[in-house]
Amino acid sequence: ALTHLKKYIVENYEAGDKIAPIRELASILNVSPNTIRRALNELVQNGYLVTQRGKTGKTNRSFRCT
């Protein structure tokens, strides 16, 4: 799932773009939201994505390309 997600992001987003919600990515790639969440977290750890808290202070995070 990590390889497929990374390829999808590279092909569809530019640096600074906001990534689609986890459920939408899961639907597009035909995997569970938990799988997408783990893959996104790994991409963050590897420096491919950064996370930012929403302006309202909610705990949900937006993933952005670096």
Side-chain angles (χ1 to χ4, degrees):
L2 178 62
T3 305
H4 290 65
L5 178 60
K6 186 176 175 183
K7 180 180 177 189
Y8 177 80
I9 289 172
V10 167
E11 291 176 353
N12 294 284
Y13 297 97
E14 294 183 21
D17 287 349
K18 185 176 179 182
I19 304 300
I22 289 173
R23 288 183 190 268
E24 185 176 331
L25 291 171
S27 176
I28 291 167
L29 298 173
N30 292 321
V31 296
S32 76
N34 286 333
T35 300
I36 293 294
R37 190 173 293 110
R38 286 192 301 268
L40 287 172
N41 285 332
E42 191 167 330
L43 290 173
V44 168
Q45 289 175 357
N46 292 331
Y48 290 104
L49 299 175
V50 294
T51 60
Q52 297 177 335
R53 289 196 182 272
K55 291 180 181 178
T56 58
K58 293 181 180 177
T59 57
N60 59 339
R61 298 175 292 182
S62 297
F63 290 87
R64 296 186 179 273
C65 296
T66 56

